[in-house]
Amino acid sequence: MLSRIFYFLMFQAAGAALGWWRGGPWAAVFGAVAASWAWFVWDWWRSARVLAWLREGDIARAPRLRGSWGEVADRARRLLRQRDQQIEGAERRIAEILEALQASPNGVVLLDAQGHIEWCNQTAATHLGFDAERDLMQTIGNLVRDPDFTAYFSGQDFAQSVVLQGRESTASRPVRISVQVHPYGDGRRLLLSRDVTALEQAEAMRRDFVANVSHEIRTPLTVLMGFVETLQTLRLADEERERYLGMMAQQAARMQSVVQDLLTLSRLEGSPLPSLHDWTPVETLLRRCEDEARALSSVLGQAQQREHVFVFPGAQALRAAGQVAGSAVELQSALSNLVNNAVRYTPLGGRIHVAWERLDDGRARFSVRDTGPGIEAVHIPRLTERFYRVDRSRSRETGGTGLGLAIVKHVVQRHGATLHITSTVGQGSVFSVTFPTQRLQPPQPLQTRADTTPRLAA
């Protein structure tokens, strides 16, 4: 402000001096007045430049002036630059927040007071079946046509969530989406969605597991209690009592097998992963599988004087198979389980072929092929579920607990391997386990030209 007064006085003094020099006192007065008007025009021109620049708002085109209007322009330029920096920072933070919401595994939808979609991430669009860009500002009720959601959204009671069928749901792969609305701001609403398919499946499996365990233990326990009551209340002949005691021992053994398998599963789920430094010869594992399979076949075929036909790798091929890293006990349990299952479900006289082969990519595959009745394709995805049986009566007759393949699956996963099952009804099944290269040692070189053909025995 002082600079403007200074310049005004300087203009008047210069005009008066010029008028005095030209024509005396009255000329000096006229010169001072003319100089004042010149100053006003000059000052107005400077202010007009500043106002024009402020209307445009372009910082790069700010006028370069001296004096008060120059200071006004400089201060306005600094304020505009600070404002732009704040806006850029806010936009950057908003963009980061939106990127984080876009990366969220849960769906996020922002709704205005009328239920229009202001923004949503791709997850929500996938869950609810609309387009994240095309459907902006569309009413959510027009896009999500599920009757349960319509009733939930119109009821305005958002204390609980509602579970809907996902747009990608099919009969073979159901998808369940949980949706909940949270009011915020001035009538706005935040809609969150998440895929609860796995949770619902886990809950269903838990209920099935509890029901199956109860059934598997209650059935033999009921038989035991009935036999105990019979022995306590009736006088039986020695032969009949021995028969009852034998049946009681059979049921007790069945309960013990179920409990033992459950403990094995619990131990597998809670123990650390097997080491990569504990090596077991493949030959040892397959020899034990063969001994157990032949013994089981002998027991099952004792009444008919018939056994299965087994094909195992030859001695030299077994020695050349090398070693596998991991828990020897777990590996033996899994491989023996697959071979023994083939024995149980293959009719006497059928053929069971066990193989160990190295693949071109360095992995190794253990496979068990049988000539049993085969398994329908609808059952194969569920074979490794606990207590799942294709034929319940046959499984109990052969002594199975329904937990064997569940144990195999856990052992295989713990060793980084994969279990693959193929089957053709009326022709047989193939159960194979493929081990990764890091759990295998290279096969030892063959020293002699001994016979490496599979051994065939009945």
Side-chain angles (χ1 to χ4, degrees), residues 440-458:
L440 301 169
Q441 278 189 345
Q444 300 174 0
L446 299 177
Q447 301 296 330
T448 64
R449 295 178 57 85
D451 178 28
T452 61
T453 57
R455 292 177 287 113
L456 181 61

Side-chain angles (χ1 to χ4, degrees), residues 230-231 233-237 240-241:
T230 300
L231 292 174
T233 57
L234 298 177
R235 297 178 61 86
L236 302 174
E240 195 170 19
R241 183 166 49 253

Side-chain angles (χ1 to χ4, degrees), residues 67-366:
S68 298
W69 287 114
E71 183 178 355
V72 169
D74 289 340
R75 289 182 178 275
R77 184 170 56 249
R78 286 196 295 270
L79 290 175
L80 288 174
R81 184 178 292 112
Q82 292 176 0
R83 183 206 63 181
D84 290 346
Q85 291 175 349
Q86 292 174 351
I87 292 175
E88 289 177 2
E91 290 177 346
R92 187 167 53 251
R93 287 192 294 272
I94 292 174
E96 291 173 353
I97 293 172
L98 293 180
E99 287 180 4
L101 293 176
Q102 194 67 255
S104 172
N106 297 328
V108 180
V109 183
L110 303 181
L111 304 172
D112 64 12
Q114 288 73 40
H116 299 135
I117 300 174
E118 294 183 326
W119 183 89
C120 72
N121 63 358
Q122 187 58 45
T123 304
T126 302
H127 285 171
L128 302 176
F130 50 77
D131 190 286
E133 297 181 359
R134 181 195 63 202
D135 293 328
L136 288 181
M137 300 313 297
Q138 296 293 318
T139 304
I140 187 70
N142 294 336
L143 300 175
V144 183
R145 298 280 186 162
D146 192 292
D148 292 337
F149 177 79
T150 302
Y152 172 76
F153 195 76
S154 60
Q156 300 296 310
D157 182 7
F158 305 134
Q160 301 295 329
S161 61
V162 60
V163 178
L164 314 175
Q165 181 173 330
R167 289 297 180 92
E168 297 181 349
S169 180
T170 61
S172 60
R173 187 184 178 277
V175 177
R176 302 287 288 169
I177 304 299
S178 174
V179 174
Q180 186 166 9
V181 175
H182 301 271
Y184 77 99
D186 187 14
R188 285 178 164 80
R189 280 159 286 190
L190 171 68
L191 185 148
L192 300 178
S193 65
R194 62 191 180 106
D195 192 331
V196 295
T197 306
L199 292 176
E200 290 199 350
Q201 289 177 345
E203 179 62 21
M205 290 177 64
R206 185 193 66 81
R207 291 194 301 267
D208 293 343
F209 175 73
V210 172
N212 284 324
V213 169
S214 302
H215 177 74
E216 293 295 332
I217 294 180
R218 184 174 63 248
T219 301
L221 188 60
T222 302
V223 175
L224 278 175
M225 292 176 63
F227 284 144
V228 169
E229 183 179 355
T230 300
L231 292 174
Q232 288 177 336
T233 57
L234 298 177
R235 297 178 61 86
L236 302 174
D238 293 343
E239 181 180 351
E240 195 170 19
R241 183 166 49 253
E242 289 295 328
R243 184 169 66 87
Y244 281 6
L245 290 173
M247 297 174 69
M248 291 171 65
Q250 182 182 5
Q251 296 299 323
R254 178 181 166 191
M255 281 196 299
Q256 186 179 21
S257 297
V258 172
V259 172
Q260 187 63 41
D261 284 350
L262 287 173
L263 292 175
T264 300
L265 278 173
S266 177
R267 186 180 68 252
L268 291 175
E269 291 175 346
S271 59
L273 294 178
S275 171
L276 286 170
H277 306 291
D278 297 332
W279 297 94
T280 303
V282 175
E283 179 181 10
T284 301
L285 297 173
L286 267 63
R287 293 245 184 235
R288 291 177 181 171
C289 289
E290 181 178 3
D291 293 341
E292 292 179 10
R294 293 185 185 281
L296 179 59
S297 178
S298 178
V299 171
L300 295 177
Q302 188 173 6
Q304 301 181 26
Q305 299 297 316
R306 295 179 63 192
E307 296 182 11
H308 298 86
V309 177
F310 294 98
V311 179
F312 279 82
Q316 189 168 342
L318 286 177
R319 286 193 296 271
Q323 302 183 89
V324 60
S327 170
V329 175
E330 293 182 15
L331 290 170
Q332 188 65 63
S333 173
L335 302 186
S336 295
N337 217 313
L338 294 178
V339 177
N340 292 342
N341 272 353
V343 175
R344 287 191 178 97
Y345 292 102
T346 301
L348 294 171
R351 184 185 180 94
I352 298 173
H353 187 281
V354 179
W356 179 279
E357 56 183 333
R358 293 299 290 257
L359 305 179
D360 294 338
D361 56 6
R363 297 180 298 167
R365 181 166 57 208
F366 169 82

Side-chain angles (χ1 to χ4, degrees), residues 423-445:
S423 184
T424 303
V425 176
Q427 297 183 19
S429 306
V430 179
F431 290 76
S432 60
V433 178
T434 304
F435 291 92
T437 55
Q438 63 266 29
R439 288 196 174 270
L440 301 169
Q441 278 189 345
Q444 300 174 0

